[in-house]
Amino acid sequence: MLMMDLFRSYLHQNRLPLTHQREAIAMALFEAEHHQSVDDLADLLRGRGEHVGKATIYRTLNLLVEAGLARELDFGEGFKRYEHQAGETQHDYLICTSCGKVARFRREAMDRLQADVASELGFAVQSRMLKIYGFCDACAGAESSGQAVGSPASVGAGPETG
Amino acid sequence: MLMMDLFRSYLHQNRLPLTHQREAIAMALFEAEHHQSVDDLADLLRGRGEHVGKATIYRTLNLLVEAGLARELDFGEGFKRYEHQAGETQHDYLICTSCGKVARFRREAMDRLQADVASELGFAVQSRMLKIYGFCDACAGAESSGQAVGSPASVGAGPETG
DNA sequence: TTACGTGCAAAGGCTTTGCAGTCGG
DNA sequence: CCGACTGCAAAGCCTTTGCACGTAA
């Protein structure tokens, strides 16, 4: 697997050993379709008969992030999630505040906008995180929560961390 | 103050009392120019001679968020920040990963892009959170961190939560 | 062999919660 | 007066850290 080779390469360059645990954790993340939490990975590995301590999972994920092979995400659930990052192009997220569903999308226009703003304000871009919150198809119409005052609901305070 | 009236109105509508503490906390947030952490607010209030427990600050901030008068932010510092939200238009953030500086900006194009994507994927938008990470003017050229493998650095994994 | 990794449990840091006393309306 | 609030301290959670033992190269 390509990503695994990149990881091996990273470790080698930094004179770090490729342990059985690191390999198992990296494989699990690389094979996963979606954003995994540390617990997701722990369960997944346990199911394969691999017993890996959570501390090691945390440590390895940080390594993968430093290597540029994984990305840390926070959908406001109270814990982090991780997704592998091949040489993939940047993508953005649409999140349902009702059921938690996360949809990814990509728009060239978004990249241009980012570049424009950054150059205008004198920033050298490294990355971005765009999360659009709302109700997905399935959840539309099932609202409830407390009434907001003042501003129109369409621009009301959204969950961030939330 | 306008925002204070909105808060009063919200409390009244929900039959909740406007206590001295709630008023002090709300005032402190409404008067603040930038995103405040719970500790910032606690210090600020203490400086004014108001002794308010942190639990109460947390509880009141949640109330303000529910009322649509405040927005919860997470710049990956390990704690949340809050900014008041008048009837203000949505804005986005540019964050320096070196010094932590946060710049806000606004682009009509961003609103249009958001609307387009949402309607295309069948989402009813509530809000969004866009954070662009990079180096600000002042910090440009002071890089260090570990070498990423594979993909170009310009799209490398960025700090989210981070 | 030797530096680095791993697991476990304890420690940390932010946020929430339980409870007795207090207060707004 | 009654329901809701406040403060404090304790509890919760996720994540990091210390340490003795194990392991890649």
Side-chain angles (χ1 to χ4, degrees), chain B residues 4 14 16 22 27 36 61 77 79 87 94 97 131 138 141 162:
Chain B
M4 201 56 226
N14 294 67
L16 300 173
R22 281 180 179 162
M27 290 276 279
Q36 308 289 313
L61 286 172
E77 300 162 296
F79 52 84
L94 217 38
T97 54
K131 290 175 278 194

Side-chain angles (χ1 to χ4, degrees), chain B residues 34-162:
Chain B
H34 305 302
H35 27 76
Q36 308 289 313
S37 66
V38 169
D39 284 339
D40 287 345
L41 290 170
D43 291 348
L44 212 160
L45 291 169
R46 192 176 315 117
R48 294 183 185 178
E50 310 265 12
H51 264 236
V52 183
K54 277 192 192 152
T56 298
I57 299 182
Y58 277 108
R59 288 187 278 232
T60 300
L61 286 172
N62 288 337
L63 218 45
L64 288 165
V65 169
E66 281 164 33
L69 298 174
R71 185 170 202 210
E72 196 178 294
L73 306 173
D74 183 353
F75 294 132
E77 300 162 296
F79 52 84
K80 297 172 187 166
R81 286 182 175 280
Y82 294 82
E83 67 180 9
H84 63 245
Q85 181 145 73
E88 302 176 28
T89 46
Q90 164 85 51
H91 49 254
D92 303 293
Y93 309 85
L94 217 38
I95 304 162
C96 178
T97 54
S98 179
C99 67
K101 186 170 74 182
V102 176
R104 287 169 27 165
F105 67 90
R106 205 189 129 48
R107 272 286 207 289
E108 295 279 345
M110 189 58 225
D111 299 332
R112 287 194 292 272
L113 191 152
Q114 166 181 284
D116 288 354
V117 171
S119 80
E120 195 170 296
L121 298 183
F123 270 70
V125 175
Q126 288 178 290
S127 64
R128 73 158 175 272
M129 176 54 60
L130 166 58
K131 290 175 278 194
I132 298 178
Y133 296 97
F135 292 109
C136 70
D137 262 345
C139 295
E143 291 178 56
S144 52
S145 60
Q147 273 293 44
V149 188
S151 10
S154 59
V155 298
E160 162 65 351
T161 284

